[in-house]
Amino acid sequence: MPLSIAEENYLSTSLSQKPPCRPDGRDPHTFRPLDAAAGILPATNGSARIRLCDGGECIVGVKAEVEVCGGKPVEVQCDIAGQLNNSPLQSFLCTTLESAVRNALPPSHLSISNKYTYKLYIDGIILDHVSHPLTLLSMTIFLALLNTRLPTLITEDNTDENDEIGLPQFESDWQQSRLLCDDWLPPLVQLAVVAGRNVFVDPTGEEAAVSDGGILAIWHQSKVVGLRTVNTRDSSRQVFNVKSVATAVDVLTQTSREVENALRKVVAST
Amino acid sequence: MATALKRYFADGSSGATLSVSQKVYVRSRRGKATKIVQEHYLRTDIPCSSQLCPICSLNLPKDSSGAERPPILSREPPTAGSWGPHYLVPDTNVFVKAMDLMEHKSAFYDVIVLQTVLDELRNISLPLYNRLRALSQSQEKRFYVFHNEFRQETFVERQQGESMNDKNDRAIRTACAWYRVHLDETMSKSSEIVPQVLLLSNDNDCLRKARELGVACTNLDDYVRFLPDCDTLLDMIVAEHGGDETHKFAYPEYYSTSRIQGGIQIGNLHQGVLNISQYNYLEGSVTVPSFDRPLLILGRESINRAMHGDVVVVEVLPESEWKTPSTKIVEEDNITKNDNAEDDEEENLLVTEQERRALAEEPATQNSSAEFKVQRTAKVVSVIKRNWRSYVGHIDAASISSDAVATRRQTSVFLIPMNRRIPKIKIRTRRAADLVGKRILAAVDSWDASSRYPQGHFIRALGDIEAKAAETEALLLEYDVQYQPFTQSVLDCLPIEGHDWKVPAETSDPRWTGREDLRDLLVCSIDPPGCQDIDDALHARPLPNGNFEVGVHIADVSHFVKPNTAMDSEASSRGTTVYLVDKRIDMLPVLLGTNLCSLMPYVERFAFSAIWEMTPDAEIVNTRFTKSVIRSKEAFSYEQAQLRIDDKSQTDPLTQGIRDLLRLSKALKAKRMAAGALNLASPEVKVNVESETSDPMDVEVKKSHETNSLVEEFMLLANISVAAKIYEAFPQSAMLRRHGAPPKENFEVLADQLRVCKQLSLNAESSKQLADSLDACKDSNDPYLNTLIRIMATRCMLAAEYFCSGTMAEPEFRHYGLATHIYTHWTSPIRRYADIVAHRQLASAIAYEPLHESLRDKPKLERVCQNINQRHRNAQFAGRASVEYYIGQALKNHELDVEAYVMKVFSNGFVVFVPQFGIEGPIHLRDAKSSFKFDEANYALILNEGTDKEETLQLFRKIIVHVETVVEESTGKRKVAFRSQNPKIE
């Protein structure tokens, strides 16, 4: 339901004042409580589900297929309940996350032989969302990738000429499979909204609707490796103060580190 | 994480729980890795199946028809040694090592087969798994499959870091422990002795852990030692690989699976079935789709442990190594005579000097005719599927060391298989001396890269060599003919009236529904004399409009054999009736074959009729099919029918009918020939057997009457009409028969031989041209030559085969030999399974009954076709081998000189064909005193060249050979041996 002009004014003012005041009383860099679980889909190589307290829910499954080298190493697909395929939001989510994962993933992690490689199919479904689903999907993908295991190769070393024509063979025991993320962490993509000089993480739908615009940051290996602005409201107004961009990077750096640690604990406990 | 256990309350009130466990594994196939998740529902009602257990027999599982399955394990299980009455629980390894013991009648009763073991066995070897399945289904030996992984108490969850093997071993021990506690508990009030549960395992660690759990256990050898007849049983345990690493030679290692799969995919490796030459055990060939001509595999190293019939992967050798097929006869026993079975590894070389010499070719012949004979050669790089079966043979007495006989210790001896294409098999036995001179069944276990010969083990002795019973059984085993009596479940499918079954008198009976009453037609059958299974009967009568009505009536077997019954699956697996000289191995129980389905004279029988209206020139005006009831008026033999036709005084309507049939059949035949049907020949002889003793009396070549061809023409017509009808009704799943056009290359050699030796030409462009040129291949001085050429031409052709119409494009349906565009088998349902399928499909095509779903199932039909094609071939081979055996017996005490033809020429011998007996055999020149020279270009051997006794033995030449029978040292078969008498070769 759209906000009335009075509500919009009130919200906008309270968010941009110093110190800001969020409707639910949170700090700018505080997340709402969420419920996360990994390994919920037994037939996938890795999976996760995250539920937000506003009813937003996302499930991600990762499938690793053996393919001939040379194609895309990662493909992200996501369905958004209530939206048609190829909606702008869907393609925005998919392309953003696909390129984030692809850029962060060293090819050697998927390599099988000179000729064959794993290809990751990351399939998400957003069952419901009230706030912008980017952070939600990114966190679920992060968790699912942490949970992902790849079957171990039992074919002999890929050094001789056999390898040119050899089809790979895999260990049948699932317990022998290896973790995709043994010495590597997937990227996290976080969205923050800017209101005046203030930057808020995990914005609710209303906060986004009155904000000046959104900034997304791709977080990988303890630094922000990418930054982009995002339309968070209908109007075309997207004017940020340069300083608020710097603030956003600071805020996102801090929260991403915390989110990353929290999610790793989720996987460790399952 | 691999297993997770959840609990569901299935029934809240009683508190019964149903747990689910998950099993996760990776399936690696065709280079893909798929994670598979299975859910297991754990229950508490899986019975122990002991007849002693009062609890489990209260709640017996039911089969699909609602009947309870009684407990299997007996009240009085066997005892052995210090173990009292006991149930056996063998682990997987024991089944791998001792499946033959399990099948042996003298021991191993009351066996509990754990699901864990069965699953493990399936992963190790599918054939062993199938044998164990068959054992547990037959109930004869009381094998019970206990689903331990589904029973809550015996379910074992995999522990962190535990290997699958350890987990399975633990599951086996847990199940044993449970059985013991379960039987103790449930039988606590019983006065009977609680049987022990005895775990059999060869794994010492597992045995130790079992003892800790209080489970009775022992290893296989210790157990078998306490059984009666333990020498025989110990011989049957699969041989252990010698851990001896000091061998000096080895076969090349096989390529890895991944390399094979990849290689086949990109096309530099080829897969096919290895076929070893019957004249040269060092030469094999593999037909692969990528090349027109078969690939040659030459020498022991290239054949690389593959055996005849194995599915192999081969790699083509460089062009410089391409060869012509060997022109020598090479027999294994002559070359490897001195090999020692005990220390096979002692020798330094894999390929002995003798073998190398046997294969060495003369420098490539420089004439043009040899060009097309150079073939691609290849080497075996992997065996995809071993088609090892049990082989019949005899012990090579020379391979037994003398001290072994005295001490009765276990020694290695060679078993020489009856089939020359199979190499000698090393078997270990304690009873070598007893087994000499016996027909022996043995299995092949393994073929190590370091062992020149395959390792096998003894299964049983069939009897003395040359004893008729042993030889007949050997033959049936060699050709995989199922000769066991029909099981009770098959016999249960027969009509309960048995021999008293009659066509219901009342036409209102439901079995009459849809049947036409053709009892008044003048139907008769014409068959070989003494025929008991009469499949077909015929009638013809003039119609008022000047045309003729002709009917072919076939036994209505599908009325008695319904789909998906035990009888149906038995018939499907037998595929065909096998005719031996003195014995018939039926496809269907004898009650059906020779009585209820047989269209005997003077009795009413159900039939399936094809009825045509034909003009006097045999043009078909109209075709229809119907289920019917007939009463045959007479059963003629071919000869009787011929006499009746020729007897001008007979003018009754039945005789007139046969005369009409004969006239029409001639017209039909003329049309068929004009269309290019081939008149092929195969040597057919008949062995006359004295009825009481079935000792062969004499051999004659089968005679042919006009009436033979009468019946044949109408059967062909019926088959063609039915084929068209069922294909129209079921374009995807009709059971048809095709005969592929042979590739022209097949005739190249024969055409060249005819051109060089007889100045005759053979044109194989089309079947019509082939038929015409075969007719022209005549020599006025030698009337038999034409038949000989036809026999040789037949061998150049492909075998006809059954197929399911959906698997081929319509042009491929053609039957080359009969020159018809579509064909099936419909006229002999008593003795061929394909005909039963065609009957069912036709019945449904005329809306007599709905089509059973299994007849629409294309993959299933393909499997049926594959099986019956194989059975059909084996039946022919078995029949021929039986004739050969009897000819050997018939000639046992005769020696005579007969005419023969040179059929094949090698550089060190030739093969002759004797028309009088329809047999062929080699004549070696290696022992000949005369000098000889091989003239490859002219297909000739020149004897005593340059002397006044010079003789040229050219292909197709008629010679006189001396025939006698000798017991062949190598195979133990009594074989006909030839010696050339004129020209005389000493």
Side-chain angles (χ1 to χ4, degrees), chain B residues 115-380:
Chain B
Q115 177 193 12
T116 312
V117 170
L118 202 59
D119 284 350
E120 267 193 310
L121 191 65
R122 180 164 52 181
N123 288 334
I124 294 171
S125 157
L126 208 54
L128 285 179
Y129 167 82
N130 288 331
R131 282 163 72 185
L132 184 53
R133 270 273 175 224
L135 260 183
S136 44
Q137 257 150 30
S138 79
Q139 304 197 345
E140 186 190 332
K141 294 207 68 186
R142 305 192 296 273
F143 276 49
Y144 170 59
V145 178
F146 177 64
H147 290 266
N148 61 313
E149 287 178 22
F150 292 139
R151 177 143 186 151
Q152 190 134 37
E153 294 94 327
T154 53
F155 170 75
V156 162
E157 200 165 350
R158 186 168 170 192
Q159 287 163 353
Q160 200 67 45
E162 188 178 34
S163 79
M164 271 321 269
N165 272 337
D166 290 348
K167 189 215 127 188
N168 287 341
D169 285 351
R170 194 157 55 84
I172 293 168
R173 293 191 298 269
T174 311
C176 291
W178 174 81
Y179 250 99
R180 192 177 55 88
V181 174
H182 173 79
L183 289 175
D184 278 348
E185 274 175 10
T186 55
M187 290 177 62
S188 56
K189 294 198 185 88
S190 151
S191 58
E192 289 177 86
I193 309 169
V194 182
Q196 282 197 42
V197 175
L198 184 62
L199 171 65
L200 273 189
S201 170
N202 280 349
D203 177 349
N204 289 331
D205 187 50
C206 183
L207 291 174
R208 181 180 57 76
K209 287 181 178 154
R211 273 185 216 108
E212 285 168 12
L213 264 179
V215 172
C217 55
T218 180
N219 76 31
L220 179 64
D221 285 10
D222 289 346
Y223 180 78
V224 174
R225 263 181 245 290
F226 286 104
L227 298 175
D229 202 11
C230 73
D231 270 0
T232 319
L233 293 176
L234 282 173
D235 279 356
M236 291 166 68
I237 297 179
V238 171
E240 204 73 63
H241 284 303
D244 184 17
E245 292 300 314
T246 58
H247 53 261
K248 296 173 186 122
F249 69 86
Y251 285 100
E253 283 299 330
Y254 292 144
Y255 289 0
S256 69
T257 324
S258 70
R259 187 167 167 194
I260 295 297
Q261 289 180 342
I264 291 173
Q265 218 167 51
I266 65 167
N268 66 0
L269 300 180
H270 307 277
Q271 184 176 333
V273 177
L274 180 69
N275 184 25
I276 301 281
S277 155
Q278 59 170 324
Y279 295 112
N280 182 347
Y281 77 102
L282 292 173
E283 177 184 308
S285 62
V286 176
T287 306
V288 299
S290 322
F291 300 109
D292 289 342
R293 287 204 208 117
L295 300 171
L296 273 187
I297 319 282
L298 291 174
R300 190 175 281 281
E301 206 166 336
S302 287
I303 294 174
N304 196 1
R305 292 172 279 157
M307 282 176 26
H308 179 73
D310 287 350
V311 181
V312 296
V313 174
V314 296
E315 185 168 50
V316 178
L317 296 171
E319 194 169 344
S320 58
E321 291 177 42
W322 293 0
K323 295 260 170 60
T324 56
S326 170
T327 52
K328 277 186 187 170
I329 305 174
V330 183
E331 282 166 358
E332 185 171 20
D333 43 301
N334 291 320
I335 289 185
T336 61
K337 227 179 250 169
N338 303 321
D339 281 10
N340 185 337
E342 272 292 283
D343 14 65
D344 169 33
E345 279 85 12
E346 291 289 292
E347 309 213 16
N348 290 313
L349 295 163
L350 173 64
V351 180
T352 59
E353 191 52 39
Q354 293 100 304
E355 285 185 347
R356 199 182 309 285
R357 228 178 296 137
L359 268 193
E361 287 300 317
E362 315 66 67
T365 2
Q366 298 299 320
N367 63 54
S368 60
S369 74
E371 258 171 40
F372 62 82
K373 288 191 258 168
V374 174
Q375 289 184 9
R376 286 185 174 81
T377 52
K379 62 175 184 186
V380 173

Side-chain angles (χ1 to χ4, degrees), chain A residues 42-45 64-66 115-116 149 151 155-156 161-162 165-176, chain B residues 1-2 22 24-26 28 30-33 35 37 158 161-162 164 256-259 261-263 265-266 268:
Chain A
T44 58
N45 290 61
E65 299 272 351
V66 180
K115 190 168 177 205
Y116 294 96
R149 304 183 80 96
T155 331
E156 63 271 39
E161 43 90 36
N162 301 356
I165 48 172
L167 284 177
Q169 296 278 307
F170 298 91
E171 168 66 47
S172 68
D173 186 356
W174 182 250
Q175 280 194 355
Q176 306 278 326
Chain B
M1 215 167 59
Q22 252 178 22
V24 185
Y25 61 97
V26 179
S28 174
R30 278 180 214 159
K32 301 279 179 226
K35 185 181 174 192
V37 182
R158 186 168 170 192
E162 188 178 34
M164 271 321 269
S256 69
T257 324
S258 70
R259 187 167 167 194
Q261 289 180 342
Q265 218 167 51
I266 65 167
N268 66 0

Side-chain angles (χ1 to χ4, degrees), chain B residues 711-763:
Chain B
V711 176
E712 192 186 325
E713 284 309 318
F714 284 106
M715 294 306 131
L716 292 176
L717 180 64
N719 285 337
I720 295 168
S721 305
V722 170
K725 179 78 183 173
I726 59 177
Y727 177 55
E728 178 196 309
F730 308 105
Q732 281 298 305
S733 60
M735 166 70 85
L736 300 178
R737 187 169 171 84
R738 67 186 282 269
H739 183 202
K744 266 182 284 167
E745 295 79 26
N746 286 16
F747 291 100
E748 277 173 1
V749 174
L750 181 60
D752 188 60
Q753 288 170 342
L754 283 170
R755 187 179 58 76
V756 171
C757 306
K758 288 281 167 189
Q759 290 77 47
L760 294 170
S761 76
L762 186 72
N763 184 345

Side-chain angles (χ1 to χ4, degrees), chain A residues 144-197:
Chain A
L145 285 173
L146 278 189
N147 178 243
T148 297
R149 304 183 80 96
L150 301 175
T152 352
L153 196 67
I154 50 171
T155 331
E156 63 271 39
D157 279 346
N158 45 5
T159 43
D160 56 356
E161 43 90 36
N162 301 356
D163 193 55
E164 285 304 299
I165 48 172
L167 284 177
Q169 296 278 307
F170 298 91
E171 168 66 47
S172 68
D173 186 356
W174 182 250
Q175 280 194 355
Q176 306 278 326
S177 57
R178 66 179 166 93
L179 278 172
L180 170 67
C181 304
D182 47 355
D183 57 352
W184 170 82
L185 282 176
L188 260 178
V189 183
Q190 295 281 337
L191 177 74
V193 292
V194 181
R197 293 283 183 87

Side-chain angles (χ1 to χ4, degrees), chain B residues 46 58 74 108 116 222 315 354 426 429 442 467 478 505 528 543 563 664 687 702 865 928 945:
Chain B
I46 296 171
L58 290 179
S74 76
F108 291 96
T116 312
D222 289 346
E315 185 168 50
Q354 293 100 304
K426 261 198 307 183
T429 176
E478 271 298 287
L543 294 174
L664 290 167
V687 179
K702 276 188 190 167
C865 288
E945 196 180 18

Side-chain angles (χ1 to χ4, degrees), chain B residues 571-591:
Chain B
S572 160
S573 100
R574 293 192 179 212
T576 173
T577 293
V578 180
Y579 293 89
L580 304 184
V581 169
D582 60 334
K583 207 175 167 146
R584 196 182 64 221
I585 317 291
D586 285 314
M587 178 180 81
L588 291 170
V590 72
L591 173 68

